[in-house]
Amino acid sequence: MDVLAVVDRLFKYGLLAEFDPDGPSGLEFLKNHRLFPSGDGLGESEDTPGYFQVGREGRILLKLMIDPYVAWLQGAYAKSIWDNMIAFRADSDEEPLLSEQNTMQMVAQSVPGIVTNRCGFVQPS
């Protein structure tokens, strides 16, 4: 079996994605993909206020700040992860703590953990 050919096919059909969450490719990934939740929202953490818990079958697997949590929670309803976060920032009554760039980078950094823990999956938009 030619492993490189298999990997190339997975990339070609959008079943495999590669990006650097800290670089420009992370931002492009957010613009071109949707995030669908497949885990359970378990509410705000009692021991870490401001962080929201995501898990599966009652087990806490992730603690996310509000922006990545919203990206996960509302991802199925937006055209892309990027659009979801732009709408969330626009609808917020509070002044954002982070710049748009830093918020998007934080969301991009959270995507691998969400997917690896089977709490969400991504699809090209």
Side-chain angles (χ1 to χ4, degrees):
M1 172 185 279
D2 183 0
V3 174
L4 291 178
V6 171
V7 170
D8 286 341
R9 269 198 316 261
L10 291 172
F11 274 116
K12 178 181 174 184
Y13 295 118
L15 299 173
L16 187 62
E18 180 179 20
F19 69 96
D20 174 6
D22 296 320
S25 64
L27 300 181
E28 282 303 309
F29 180 86
L30 297 181
K31 291 178 182 178
N32 296 308
H33 287 83
R34 295 175 67 195
L35 177 61
F36 295 86
S38 58
D40 305 314
L42 302 173
E44 188 170 7
S45 172
E46 290 182 15
D47 61 334
T48 316
Y51 283 78
F52 297 84
Q53 302 168 130
V54 178
R56 294 179 62 84
E57 300 173 3
R59 291 183 41 234
I60 298 167
L61 299 171
L62 300 166
K63 289 185 181 181
L64 302 171
M65 293 181 74
I66 189 67
D67 295 301
Y69 183 75
V70 167
W72 169 81
L73 183 66
Q74 298 178 348
Y77 305 107
K79 182 179 146 194
S80 69
I81 302 168
W82 181 277
D83 289 344
N84 183 11
M85 295 315 304
I86 294 294
F88 174 65
R89 287 173 64 90
D91 289 344
S92 178
D93 294 335
E94 299 177 19
E95 186 68 27
L97 297 174
L98 299 173
S99 69
E100 181 178 293
Q101 175 86 16
N102 288 344
T103 296
M104 297 303 187
Q105 186 175 20
M106 179 175 53
V107 170
Q109 290 168 345
S110 71
V111 170
I114 292 169
V115 172
T116 301
N117 282 291
R118 299 181 311 138
C119 291
F121 63 94
V122 295
Q123 287 184 343
S125 41

